[in-house]
């Protein structure tokens, strides 16, 4: 059965892209009538919580253990899920605020290159 809205980002028919993922997240929230809760304040709070859950995985690891965290399948799965949660909330925040996350990152790298020139 085909998707009435066309191929979704990340499906075998279309490569992943930020705008497509943002559409999928917005569609997911809309289908559940969650939009009233997806305010910038709530999305930032959720982003912070998810980032903290990612920190929790690494909290008591040595630097060496943290470098090997993806070697354990269960821990790798947890890290991957938390990274996905952080990215999902960040993309939703960008969508609500009208920020192009890739343009914002590119501009920030440009500023940092000027601010911190290579030796």
């Amino acid at each position: 059965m085909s998707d009435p809205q066309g191929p979704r980002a990340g499906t075998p028919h279309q490569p992943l892209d930020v705008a497509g993922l943002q559409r999928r997240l917005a569609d997911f929230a809309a289908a559940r009538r969650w939009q009233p809760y997806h305010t910038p304040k709530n999305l930032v709070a959720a982003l912070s919580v998810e980032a903290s859950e990612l920190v929790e995985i690494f909290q008591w690891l040595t630097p060496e253990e943290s470098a090997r965290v993806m070697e354990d399948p269960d821990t790798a799965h947890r890290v991957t899920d938390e990274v996905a949660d952080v990215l999902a909330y960040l993309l939703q925040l960008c969508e609500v605020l009208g920020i192009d996350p890739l343009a914002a990152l590119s501009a920030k790298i440009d500023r940092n290159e000027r601010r911190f020139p290579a030796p």
Side-chain angles (χ1 to χ4, degrees), residues 11 25-26 42 46 53 60 71 78 88 93 104:
T11 65
L25 289 165
N42 288 349
E53 290 178 6
W60 302 113
E71 293 174 8
R78 288 178 53 217
L93 178 66

Side-chain angles (χ1 to χ4, degrees), residues 6-118:
R8 294 182 307 183
T11 65
H13 306 290
Q14 184 177 356
L16 290 171
D17 68 276
V18 171
L21 291 170
Q22 286 175 305
R23 273 191 308 280
R24 285 185 67 191
L25 289 165
D27 291 346
F28 182 88
R32 289 150 183 83
R33 297 184 172 93
W34 290 350
Q35 306 99 314
Y37 308 105
H38 285 197
T39 64
K41 178 191 79 67
N42 288 349
L43 291 169
V44 167
L47 175 61
S48 176
V49 169
E50 296 301 339
S52 294
E53 290 178 6
L54 183 58
V55 169
E56 182 181 30
I57 296 168
F58 290 86
Q59 185 174 8
W60 302 113
L61 300 181
T62 65
E64 297 76 22
E65 289 169 334
S66 71
R68 295 189 312 271
V69 75
M70 299 304 283
E71 293 174 8
D72 174 64
D74 290 334
T75 306
H77 180 69
R78 288 178 53 217
V79 169
T80 301
D81 273 358
E82 295 307 334
V83 166
D85 289 342
V86 168
L87 184 56
Y89 281 118
L90 182 59
L91 291 178
Q92 289 175 88
L93 178 66
C94 288
E95 178 74 15
V96 167
L97 295 177
I99 296 170
D100 177 336
L102 298 182
L105 178 57
S106 180
K108 181 67 174 188
I109 293 169
D110 289 345
R111 286 193 304 278
N112 282 343
E113 287 174 340
R114 289 189 301 277
R115 188 173 171 202
F116 306 104

